[in-house]
Amino acid sequence: MAGILAWFWNERFWLPHNVTWADLQSTEEAAFPQAEDLYLAFPLAFCIFMIRLLFERFIAKPCALGLKVQANGPQKAQPNAILEKVFTAITKHPDEKRLEGLSKQLDWDVRSIQRWFRQRRNQEKPSTLRKFCESMWRFTFYLYIFTYGVRFLKKTPWLWNTRQCWSGYPYQPLMPDLHYYYIVELSFYWSLMFSQFIDVKRKDFGIMFTHHIVTVTLITFSYVTNLTRVGTLILCLHDAADIVLEAAKMANYCKCQKLSDLLFLTFAVVFIVSRLGIYPLWILNTTLFELYEALGNFPALWVFNVLLMVLQILHCFWSYLIIKAAYKAISKGKAGKWNPLHVSFFKFTMQKLYSDNTGVCGLGCFGSFNLWFLLCIHPLLVFIYLSKDYFERLFFTSWLCIT
C-alpha cells in the first residue's frame, strides 16, 4: 500500500522541478496545506448534512408554510394490485396494446387506466414544500459562503492581479481564513455527493454527479499541491450564480411568477457572464498561460487544466440550455421545463414581464412581499454573522480540537 501511495504522489508529477514534498511540510514559522487536513472534511460533511436536516425542519418548513407553499403532494392513485405490479415491474408508460389488455382484464376503460398511471407517476414526485425547503437551505449556504469568500478575497492581492496566484509558489503559507474557506467548501460538496441520492431527483442527475466529482477532485488536488489561491477565485466565482438560482426557485415554488421571472433573468445573465466570460478570460487565462510562464511545465499542471476545461464544457452545455429556454420564452411566451443546475425550469414569460403594468416585482401579491422580506433578511443575518470573527470560526475550531 505504501508503494502505491508513493507512486501516486510522485513529486515529479505533482510539483514543479526542484520542489519536494519535504519543502511543503509545515514548520513553526509557516503552515502549508497537508493532505491530512482533508480528512476533516468527512466529519464536517456529516455535520453540514445534519445542520441541513435541522434547518429544513425548523426554519425552512415554517417559512414555506407562512408563504403558503403547497404542503400536500399530488393526488394518489387508488390502490390496484394488478396495475401496481405492471407499474413497478414492467413499465411506467404502458403502450396502447398493453393498455387495451389491462382494460379487458380489469373491465376499465382505457382513459381510466391512463389516468391511473399518470397519477401513479405523479405520486413519486416530491412535494413543492420539500423542494422549497431544499432550495432555501442551498440559498442560505451559498449566500453565506459567497459572502465569506468576497470578504476574504477583497483583502488579497491575487483578486486584483492573478499573477499573484503564482508569486512565490509553491512556498505560499496557508492562511487560517483560506484553510477555513477550503475545508467548508469541500465538506459541503462531499455532503452533496451523498445527499443527492436522497434529494429531489432531477433530469440532470448524471451531469450534476459529474460536476460534483470534478469539483471535489479539483478542490482536493489544488489544496494538496498548494494551488489554493486560484482555487479561492474559482470557488467564489461559481457560488455567485447559485444564490440567484436558488432564490428564483423559491419564488417559483411560492407562485410569485413575476419575482421568479425577474430572478431567473438575473440568474441567466450572471451565469453566462461569469461562466462564459469571466471564467475563461480570468481563470483559464491564468492557469493555462500565466502559470506556465511562472513555473514552467509539470504534469499536474495539465491534470489541473483538463479538469478546469471539463467544468467549462459543462458551463457551455448549461448556458446553451438557458439560452434555449429564454428563446422559447420570447418566441412562445413560456420556457421549457429542463433545469440546469438542479431546478425544474420556471415559466419565463418575457413578454408578460415587460407588458404588465403592475411591474416586475409583484409587490401587490402578499406572498411576493413575504418572499422579498425573506430574501432581504438573509443577507442581513449573514453580514451580522460574518462581523463576529469568534462566532464565525466557533464550529470549525471545535472540530479542529476534537480531531
Side-chain angles (χ1 to χ4, degrees), residues 312-363:
Q312 182 62 7
I313 291 171
L314 294 176
H315 296 163
C316 293
F317 175 71
W318 284 321
S319 298
Y320 161 74
L321 292 167
I322 291 171
I323 295 170
K324 183 179 178 181
Y327 174 77
K328 280 186 177 181
I330 296 171
S331 60
K332 298 181 180 180
K334 61 181 180 179
K337 295 182 179 179
W338 190 86
N339 161 23
L341 297 179
H342 33 76
V343 59
S344 298
F345 246 45
F346 331 113
K347 291 181 181 178
F348 185 59
T349 318
M350 294 289 290
Q351 295 170 345
K352 183 179 179 182
L353 188 65
Y354 290 104
S355 62
D356 194 332
N357 292 327
T358 59
V360 297
C361 296
L363 292 178

Side-chain angles (χ1 to χ4, degrees), residues 135 202 204 245-246 248-249 252-253 264 267 337-346:
S135 292
R202 311 291 184 184
D204 60 344
L245 172 63
E246 299 302 333
K249 290 164 62 177
N252 182 61
Y253 300 145
F264 176 68
F267 159 72
K337 295 182 179 179
W338 190 86
N339 161 23
L341 297 179
H342 33 76
V343 59
S344 298
F345 246 45
F346 331 113

Side-chain angles (χ1 to χ4, degrees), residues 209-279:
F209 188 67
T210 302
H211 174 269
H212 295 334
I213 290 175
V214 172
T215 301
V216 168
T217 304
L218 274 170
I219 295 175
T220 300
F221 286 158
S222 65
Y223 185 85
V224 172
T225 56
N226 205 14
L227 295 168
T228 51
R229 291 188 177 183
V230 73
T232 57
L233 299 179
I234 297 170
L235 290 171
C236 191
L237 182 66
H238 279 74
D239 289 335
D242 292 336
I243 300 170
V244 190
L245 172 63
E246 299 302 333
K249 290 164 62 177
M250 291 163 60
N252 182 61
Y253 300 145
C254 291
K255 300 187 184 302
C256 304
Q257 195 57 52
K258 295 174 185 177
L259 178 58
S260 175
D261 291 344
L262 176 62
L263 289 171
F264 176 68
L265 176 62
T266 305
F267 159 72
V269 172
V270 172
F271 185 91
I272 292 173
V273 169
S274 62
R275 308 294 177 91
L276 297 189
I278 299 175
Y279 181 81

Side-chain angles (χ1 to χ4, degrees), residues 16-19 161-172 227 229 285-298 301:
H17 297 295
N18 302 320
V19 179
N161 180 8
T162 53
R163 291 186 181 274
Q164 289 295 319
C165 292
W166 322 115
S167 177
Y169 179 85
Y171 308 107
Q172 298 170 343
L227 295 168
R229 291 188 177 183
N285 176 67
T286 192
T287 59
L288 286 171
F289 303 108
E290 294 176 355
L291 173 57
Y292 182 82
E293 292 174 8
L295 304 174
N297 189 17
F298 58 102
L301 181 151

